[in-house]
Amino acid sequence: MRKLEAPHVPAAVRILGTMGGPGVFDAFDIQFAALMKRLAPGLTDDALWVMALAARAPRLGSVCLRLDDSPETSARPPEEWQALLFPTGLVATPSEAHRVPLRPLVLDHNRLYLHRYWVHETRVADELATRAASRGVTDGVDELLGELFEPEHHEQRAAARRALTDGLSVIAGGPGTGKTHTVARILVAALRRAQEEGHDLDVALVAPTGKAASRMGEAVRSAVVQLQESGVVDRPLAERLAALEPSTIHRLLGSRRGVHVHHDRRNPLNVDLVVVDETSMVALPLMARLLDALPAEADLVLVGDPFQLTSIEAGTVMDDIVGPAGRATAARLLESDDRWEGPLRDRVTVLTATHRFADDSGIFRLAEAVRAGDAGAALAVLENPSDDLVWIEPGDETATGLIDAELLAAARLMVEAARAGEAAEAIEAASSVKVLAATRMGPGGVREWSERIKEMVKPDVARSGLQPQWFAGRPVLVTGNDPGNRVFNGDVGVTVATPDGGLAVAFPEADGECLVGTSRLADVEDWYAMTIHKSQGSEFDHVVVSLPRVDSRVLTQELLYTAITRARRRLTVVASREVLEKAIEHRAPRASGLGERLWGSEQRA
């Protein structure tokens, strides 16, 4: 972070240093403010200040600066801000936003946007509303779904029906609620109906990251195998489904250097059905580009968990789209609650029945309490250990010693299997228990856990003199996209011995493992532990959640919920009571107007 006192700060905006202090603004914010000052030399200090805050907002994950809800601006009535900003000639009203010459900012209902983010948000809202109004053919759908869904899976069946009969459908739910189970049956039904009508169906399965796309493919193929074994799907259809290769949204759009795309509204995609998984990780600009490139007649299915961590870039797209349905106690709430109006009112299905955990599961009850922001209920769950949940206070050496012993045992099994070239067994051992930390550095962070595990397993590791960083049993996390080797940021694997005496990293795939020579991999790091952010889309039998010893701004309700829901069978939480309470009560502060555009002002209730 560059400080305001640095010489590169233009003299015209150095007043920002006295108004906010070092570290409040970065280089972009400062240069944007300097440009505004050049365009309107008469700008007041307050107007300059609020424009710099609006420029900063996307960097902090917000789409806009909410003047009535921001700590820096809420003390002044919105009417005063309007009177201060509109006369500058740099801020447009929504009705003026498309007029040439374009103005760099837009003030819309007390939300101040950089112009491009206002365009992204309004386009997404308009496109979703238009697609939600589209209706398809319903003939034969119920009979088809009756073959694919068990009677007790009524929520999943309702979600599939919407996907098959509406231009837009949204499937929301936590882990174990059957999202992939539902998507696989939607694909079966859509392809079977297309066959019966005598035409092919162009389907695109996408996710925001390569890792998420890979997981999506594995999950769908696994579900298809089960459908084929049960006799619901014949072999030709199963092969057709298995041939669907999920990709990233960027790759589908033909993104070049992350900015320019091959497909847009002038050159739309050639698709009939698009399914987007892990939509909670999709940033607003990326969603806008996808909707721009989607043909009007194509169907769109958005899938994800609105309570998980949001995208790294600006926006809370999935949370905004799901809206009040996400806070419903049952998916049918929207059908009986007249407070909620909007184009998506009957397009969202929230899957609430979990099939992974029993109702008395400690993991399930803790996740629900954290999702609700109820620190008291969460601590009550933690204070009563169950078969699948344990809470350890930092400094409890006895309990921590038991965790260390389990981590060491798993690491030794991984090394033993890797030396024998048994890739599947090595990956299974590496995934059996995993530390997920909120931070990389500091007490309780990834670095501390990783170094401790490496030191414990050191006697079992045989390092090469030529490449000491590579050895059989080294767990690896990919930190950059590498399409040439078909590995992507967030992919994980284990280094194993090869028959020729060399080493390769085994990455899990749906039908086995992919081996990549160690000399071909550049952007990797040890995978003894990982950040919670990097764990999105992954699951582990036993998850050890490690929070910092003191409160941190990264600790949020969404972060903790995401960590908890990575556990399949067991969860250990290593954190103090104070830190847990603060994390559960702290929601990620992101400002957006998309939810209000789709659901009305009650969205913020």
Side-chain angles (χ1 to χ4, degrees):
M1 181 73 69
R2 298 176 183 174
K3 294 185 178 182
L4 281 173
E5 291 82 3
H8 72 277
V9 178
V13 296
R14 284 182 184 161
I15 185 66
L16 295 179
T18 63
M19 300 178 79
V24 173
F25 300 113
D26 74 355
F28 172 79
D29 312 331
I30 295 166
Q31 296 304 322
F32 179 84
L35 175 61
M36 297 302 100
K37 190 71 172 178
R38 288 197 297 273
L39 293 173
L43 272 184
T44 66
D45 292 345
D46 285 347
L48 188 70
W49 163 253
V50 79
M51 288 178 182
L53 290 174
R56 182 189 67 163
R59 176 166 57 87
L60 301 182
S62 293
V63 175
C64 58
L65 174 69
R66 191 179 287 276
L67 297 174
D68 59 344
D69 201 30
S70 170
E72 298 96 339
T73 60
S74 58
R76 175 174 288 187
E79 297 78 14
E80 288 189 20
W81 284 118
Q82 294 170 16
L84 185 67
L85 292 170
F86 284 133
T88 65
L90 302 175
V91 181
T93 64
S95 62
E96 299 168 336
H98 293 297
R99 294 180 188 172
V100 178
L102 298 177
R103 303 183 192 182
L105 297 125
V106 179
L107 181 56
D108 187 345
H109 288 83
N110 300 323
R111 299 185 301 269
L112 185 61
Y113 298 81
L114 293 180
H115 183 271
R116 66 179 179 275
Y117 282 95
W118 181 86
V119 171
H120 289 324
E121 185 175 280
T122 53
R123 278 187 181 175
V124 168
D126 291 345
E127 284 288 334
L128 291 175
T130 299
R131 292 182 182 282
S134 173
R135 292 290 194 279
V137 178
T138 60
D139 294 346
V141 170
D142 291 325
E143 292 79 3
L144 182 56
L145 294 178
E147 298 178 31
L148 297 173
F149 287 95
E150 299 82 356
E152 63 270 20
H153 293 164
H154 55 88
E155 290 179 338
Q156 298 175 12
R157 181 170 174 170
R161 193 179 196 282
R162 285 171 171 165
L164 294 168
T165 59
D166 300 333
L168 170 71
S169 61
V170 182
I171 304 174
T177 53
K179 297 189 296 294
T180 302
H181 181 275
T182 305
V183 167
R185 283 155 179 77
I186 289 171
L187 296 173
V188 170
L191 289 171
R192 279 178 55 176
R193 190 165 66 172
Q195 287 178 349
E196 292 168 1
E197 295 172 355
H199 64 84
D200 195 14
L201 196 71
D202 289 313
V203 179
L205 306 180
V206 295
T209 67
K211 175 185 174 183
S214 176
R215 299 291 183 272
M216 181 187 192
E218 293 170 8
V220 169
R221 284 189 285 269
S222 176
V224 169
V225 168
Q226 294 175 0
L227 287 170
Q228 187 178 9
E229 290 175 349
S230 63
V232 176
V233 174
D234 59 23
R235 182 173 179 179
L237 183 54
E239 291 176 348
R240 171 79 170 85
L241 288 163
L244 294 174
E245 187 65 33
S247 76
T248 64
I249 301 175
H250 286 96
R251 199 186 314 164
L252 177 70
L253 296 177
S255 176
R256 296 188 295 271
R257 296 180 181 177
V259 178
H260 302 290
V261 294
H262 180 67
H263 292 288
D264 53 24
R265 59 182 55 200
R266 291 171 296 183
N267 181 30
L269 294 160
N270 182 27
V271 291
D272 301 304
L273 170 64
V274 174
V275 180
V276 183
D277 196 19
E278 297 287 359
T279 308
S280 64
M281 298 168 64
V282 179
L284 179 70
L286 184 57
M287 180 59 73
R289 292 190 185 103
L290 175 63
L291 292 173
D292 271 351
L294 204 59
E297 63 276 10
D299 294 329
L300 176 65
V301 181
L302 302 176
V303 185
D305 185 346
F307 308 108
Q308 283 189 19
L309 285 166
T310 53
S311 64
I312 296 175
E313 298 178 63
T316 52
V317 172
M318 187 64 175
D319 189 35
D320 290 336
I321 289 174
V322 173
R327 295 184 288 276
T329 56
R332 60 181 177 274
L333 176 69
L334 291 183
E335 300 168 7
S336 60
D337 194 330
D338 294 332
R339 289 181 303 161
W340 311 117
E341 293 294 342
L344 306 189
R345 188 172 190 267
D346 57 352
R347 294 292 174 273
V348 178
T349 306
V350 180
L351 305 180
T352 60
T354 180
H355 305 282
R356 179 184 302 174
F357 304 112
D359 290 341
D360 61 349
S361 160
I363 297 175
F364 175 73
R365 289 183 291 120
L366 179 61
E368 289 295 289
V370 171
R371 181 170 70 90
D374 190 337
L379 288 168
V381 173
L382 289 166
E383 288 168 346
N384 293 278
S386 57
D387 292 339
D388 62 350
L389 176 63
V390 173
W391 176 24
I392 298 176
E393 289 266 12
D396 186 338
E397 295 183 4
T398 300
T400 304
L402 294 175
I403 296 298
D404 285 347
E406 185 175 349
L407 291 169
L408 175 58
R412 282 175 169 168
L413 285 174
M414 176 181 61
V415 171
E416 182 180 347
R419 282 180 176 171
E422 298 171 345
E425 289 77 4
I427 292 169
E428 182 180 359
S431 303
S432 62
V433 55
K434 189 61 61 180
V435 176
L436 306 183
T439 59
R440 291 189 61 84
M441 308 301 289
V446 169
R447 176 68 63 85
E448 181 184 76
W449 280 98
S450 183
E451 292 301 320
R452 186 156 82 232
I453 299 169
K454 285 165 65 175
E455 190 63 29
M456 288 191 297
V457 78
K458 190 174 182 179
D460 301 271
V461 171
R463 296 178 183 270
S464 164
L466 296 176
Q467 287 186 304
Q469 76 273 28
W470 289 108
F471 52 87
R474 180 194 180 190
V476 165
L477 169 69
V478 178
T479 58
N481 291 327
D482 185 359
N485 287 315
R486 295 178 60 82
V487 295
F488 302 92
N489 188 11
D491 281 352
V492 295
V494 178
T495 309
V496 299
T498 57
D500 61 1
L503 293 173
V505 177
F507 294 98
E509 292 187 337
D511 53 355
E513 295 79 39
C514 168
L515 294 179
V516 181
T518 56
S519 62
R520 295 169 57 189
L521 293 170
D523 298 326
V524 297
E525 63 183 35
D526 292 332
W527 182 50
Y528 292 102
M530 65 194 306
T531 63
I532 296 170
H533 277 90
K534 286 282 189 182
S535 74
Q536 281 184 278
S538 301
E539 293 175 355
F540 306 98
D541 287 341
H542 180 192
V543 165
V544 179
V545 177
S546 177
L547 302 186
R549 304 294 182 259
V550 295
D551 187 27
S552 167
R553 63 183 180 84
V554 305
L555 292 177
T556 64
Q557 185 184 118
E558 295 87 348
L559 185 83
L560 183 55
Y561 173 84
T562 299
I564 292 167
T565 53
R566 300 310 91 203
R568 288 196 193 101
R569 296 183 176 87
R570 293 172 56 207
L571 174 69
T572 299
V573 178
V574 184
S576 68
R577 175 183 293 270
E578 180 183 6
V579 167
L580 280 167
E581 287 178 337
K582 289 184 176 180
I584 294 168
E585 293 169 352
H586 180 211
R587 291 209 64 179
R590 291 194 171 196
S592 166
L594 181 60
E596 293 178 47
R597 297 182 195 280
L598 295 172
W599 294 96
S601 60
E602 289 289 343
Q603 160 69 5
R604 297 182 67 204

